[in-house]
Amino acid sequence: MAKKSKRQQAGGTPATVALAAADVPFTLHAYAHDPAHPSYGEEAAEALGVSPDRVFKTLVAEVDGELTVAVVPVSGQLDLKALASAVGGKRAAMADPALAERTTGYVRGGISPLGQRKRLRTVVDASASAHPTIYVSAGRRALEVELTPTALTTLTTATLSPITRP
């Protein structure tokens, strides 16, 4: 039997390769993606049978012209003012989707906070710390990685801050 590479063992995305290389415990969860579903994050929560408070979406915003990653629960919305404040900025706006894809190396709906082509400043919503594990994109649509909030913030050198509004 052929030996599998770390990339194959880890699910084959830059995010899962980064997790395997860091020797961080994680669990992959795949599900069937429905292209007609209106929300990637809500679809993941429903398909996996997990509370939307534990499934986090990765959004790319521009804060004072600098791309910044926001990781927020799918049950809420990103508060752009709070994100700007969390990184010491004045104004934030959602980044152009094509720029976010080029910079991170992932497609929309599959952007992971882990293993990005260019490491961006990252802020994880403080609500993540209320859960023993959370789910984030593993680097492609219909593939989530479950890990501890501490592992996520450590690997991404993220700041924890309240950046979600209902």
Side-chain angles (χ1 to χ4, degrees):
M1 186 179 327
K3 186 174 180 183
K4 289 185 176 182
S5 70
K6 270 196 170 186
R7 177 175 280 261
Q8 291 168 322
Q9 291 172 3
T13 70
T16 57
V17 170
L19 286 164
D23 203 25
V24 170
F26 67 94
T27 305
L28 282 178
H29 300 274
Y31 58 93
H33 170 57
D34 175 5
H37 201 289
S39 165
Y40 296 114
E42 289 174 8
E43 177 188 25
E46 291 167 11
L48 299 173
V50 177
S51 167
D53 293 336
R54 286 186 59 209
V55 178
F56 283 66
K57 54 190 170 185
T58 305
L59 303 172
V60 181
E62 282 192 52
V63 179
D64 297 338
E66 182 182 342
L67 290 180
T68 304
V69 172
V71 183
V72 298
V74 301
S75 59
Q77 293 183 332
L78 173 61
D79 181 332
L80 289 166
K81 281 187 173 189
L83 176 64
S85 178
V87 297
K90 293 184 180 178
R91 285 190 351 189
M94 293 307 297
D96 173 69
L99 177 60
E101 289 179 344
R102 275 194 314 275
T103 305
T104 63
Y106 295 116
V107 298
R108 207 166 51 123
I111 294 178
S112 177
L114 302 156
Q116 295 179 354
R117 183 177 290 152
K118 178 182 179 192
R119 181 176 266 197
L120 299 174
R121 183 185 319 184
T122 302
V123 181
V124 175
D125 187 71
S127 67
S129 60
H131 307 287
T133 61
I134 59 172
Y135 296 72
V136 297
S137 175
R140 69 175 180 250
R141 293 175 186 151
L143 185 65
E144 296 285 307
V145 62
E146 180 182 3
L147 74 169
T148 67
T150 301
L152 178 63
T153 57
T154 300
L155 288 173
T156 59
T157 62
T159 303
L160 273 175
S161 187
I163 57 169
T164 301
R165 57 185 163 86

